[in-house]
Amino acid sequence: MRVLLQLGFLVLFVGIGSAEISHTTLRNITTINKNGPYLGIIVPNAFEMAPLLLSESFVADPKFPYLDFSGRRFRIGRVGNEKVIVVMTGLSMLNAGIATELLLSLFKVKGVLHHGIAGNANPDLQIGDVTIPRFWAHTGLWSWQRYGEGPNDELPLESNGDYTRKIGYLRFADYNNDTKASNSSDNLLNNVWYQPEEIFPVDGTPEVRQHAFWVPVDENYFATAERVKDIQLGRCVNTTCLPRRPVVARVESGISANVFVDNRAYREFLRSKFNATAIDMESAAVALVCHQQKIPFIAFRSLSDLAGGSSSVSNEADVFSSLAAQNAVDVLIGFIALLSS
């Protein structure tokens, strides 16, 4: 019923615009949903999706191998014994959120699995390791404080509940180049305060906001993910090999923002402030949409580099991105097999 109501709204909304949904597309969506429910698989880009589509585990639906809608291609098929719909988001939180909302609005989806590569903020882990965070946060929503004000000064609109100082802040002066022995000069950029997202859950009151910063993955999915730790992951790209064989690690937190982090100072800040391991540009958006729609969610992010460098492995992402993408898919396929068992 939820899917039908959302689809009806979508038809009305799109019909008002410049292009209505064709009767053929509506009929195909209805037919696809009759064969559901599906696991939704969401992936950021083509090179991260290719290892899945080329694997022996993925079998496209013979009648409806895909459906194109609103700039997205929804690929219908099976992975093992599970019916799946695979969609590529494109780069960034915006694209990830749009693709996830379309997936959940158009199709009968029982859970969402997200996979891809990520930067690493945890020096205890290695390139090629596949991380499974328990919580995700969007760290790109800020209240930027004016120069001269500090932690004891209320933020603009804070009294209205629009912004908060509960999560914490980044003080730019702490990272001045001449900062030594905790003696730092002022910086005109001052402080940025991290903010939670406004969310509107499907079971909440419309237009009455709630807030979320740390979004948990599904508890059952996270417990099941403990059993993929013995999967044998790839170690080498041609003749270039990692120091050890990669592992699967359930970790506490991953973070996302519209920022490609290749800066050691900021990586170390994210690690110390948020206990972050995986750093990417999409996962938190997928998590937030699933959280609002009350759909089970989990993400598998394989580490492609130590964000900002200082790794013992040279070249990092340039060499090992393909290996990291394959490792994430191997864990995804293993996880799906566990769901079916």
Side-chain angles (χ1 to χ4, degrees):
M1 180 61 71
R2 179 180 68 85
V3 172
L4 292 176
L5 289 174
Q6 288 180 324
L7 184 57
F9 174 78
L10 191 63
V11 172
L12 177 62
F13 177 78
V14 176
I16 293 173
S18 60
E20 295 184 355
I21 302 177
S22 70
H23 292 297
T24 300
T25 298
L26 287 173
R27 183 170 62 249
N28 289 341
I29 291 173
T30 300
T31 300
I32 291 167
N33 282 330
K34 285 180 179 178
N35 294 323
Y38 299 87
L39 283 175
I41 299 177
I42 297 177
V43 57
N45 59 47
F47 92 84
E48 292 165 306
M49 182 169 61
L52 174 62
L53 300 183
L54 295 174
S55 73
E56 295 181 354
S57 297
F58 177 78
V59 179
D61 186 276
K63 186 174 182 180
F64 285 109
Y66 63 86
L67 183 140
D68 292 341
F69 186 87
S70 193
R72 263 74 182 182
R73 173 160 289 184
F74 297 89
R75 302 171 188 270
I76 296 93
R78 285 180 174 272
V79 173
N81 295 323
E82 290 286 345
K83 299 175 182 178
V84 300
I85 298 179
V86 184
V87 61
M88 188 185 82
T89 68
L91 184 73
S92 85
M93 298 282 285
L94 173 64
N95 277 320
I98 290 173
T100 306
E101 187 64 44
L102 283 172
L103 172 72
L104 299 184
S105 296
L106 293 173
F107 301 105
K108 187 182 294 184
V109 175
K110 63 181 180 180
V112 168
L113 313 179
H114 179 53
H115 73 91
I117 68 172
N120 177 24
N122 182 353
D124 293 332
L125 294 178
Q126 175 193 266
I127 291 171
D129 290 347
V130 178
T131 64
I132 309 173
R134 186 178 181 184
F135 296 94
W136 284 94
H138 175 206
T139 56
L141 185 58
W142 294 352
S143 175
W144 206 317
Q145 197 170 33
R146 69 175 59 185
Y147 179 70
E149 295 188 349
N152 295 324
D153 296 302
E154 186 175 282
L155 301 174
L157 304 179
E158 182 178 348
S159 60
N160 295 334
D162 294 327
Y163 299 99
T164 180
R165 285 172 287 160
K166 292 181 180 179
I167 297 170
Y169 65 100
L170 168 66
R171 182 172 182 260
F172 284 97
D174 290 341
Y175 297 91
N176 289 345
N177 196 42
D178 60 353
T179 298
K180 295 180 180 179
S182 73
N183 294 320
S184 61
S185 58
D186 287 343
N187 188 303
L188 293 176
L189 293 176
N190 201 24
N191 307 318
V192 291
W193 292 83
Y194 292 88
Q195 300 300 316
E197 288 277 2
E198 289 186 353
I199 63 170
F200 299 88
V202 293
D203 58 354
T205 303
E207 299 183 353
V208 176
R209 66 184 177 183
Q210 299 180 25
H211 289 93
F213 186 73
W214 290 113
V215 179
V217 303
D218 181 76
E219 290 184 3
N220 292 329
Y221 281 0
F222 193 69
T224 300
E226 170 69 15
R227 297 160 56 198
V228 300
K229 64 183 180 181
D230 295 327
I231 290 177
Q232 293 293 303
L233 299 176
R235 179 181 177 185
C236 300
V237 177
N238 298 321
T239 59
T240 304
C241 295
L242 295 163
R244 64 159 171 79
R245 183 172 293 279
V247 299
V248 182
R250 295 193 308 169
V251 298
E252 186 66 14
S253 54
I255 58 174
S256 308
N258 284 335
V259 179
F260 185 92
V261 178
D262 193 28
N263 180 278
R264 180 176 179 175
Y266 192 55
R267 174 247 296 173
E268 291 176 345
F269 169 81
L270 293 174
R271 178 65 180 168
S272 63
K273 181 67 179 178
F274 299 116
N275 194 29
T277 294
I279 306 173
D280 67 36
M281 301 175 71
E282 295 87 19
S283 295
V286 182
L288 281 159
V289 173
C290 290
H291 183 60
Q292 294 188 82
Q293 298 291 345
K294 307 298 182 182
I295 297 294
F297 162 81
I298 196 167
F300 310 96
R301 284 284 188 160
S302 184
L303 305 176
S304 63
D305 65 294
L306 184 64
S310 298
S311 169
S312 61
V313 181
S314 62
N315 297 323
E316 298 186 334
D318 290 340
V319 173
F320 291 106
S321 288
S322 61
L323 175 68
Q326 182 64 61
N327 284 353
V329 168
D330 289 346
V331 173
L332 171 82
I333 292 172
F335 180 81
I336 293 174
L338 291 173
L339 293 181
S340 304
S341 62

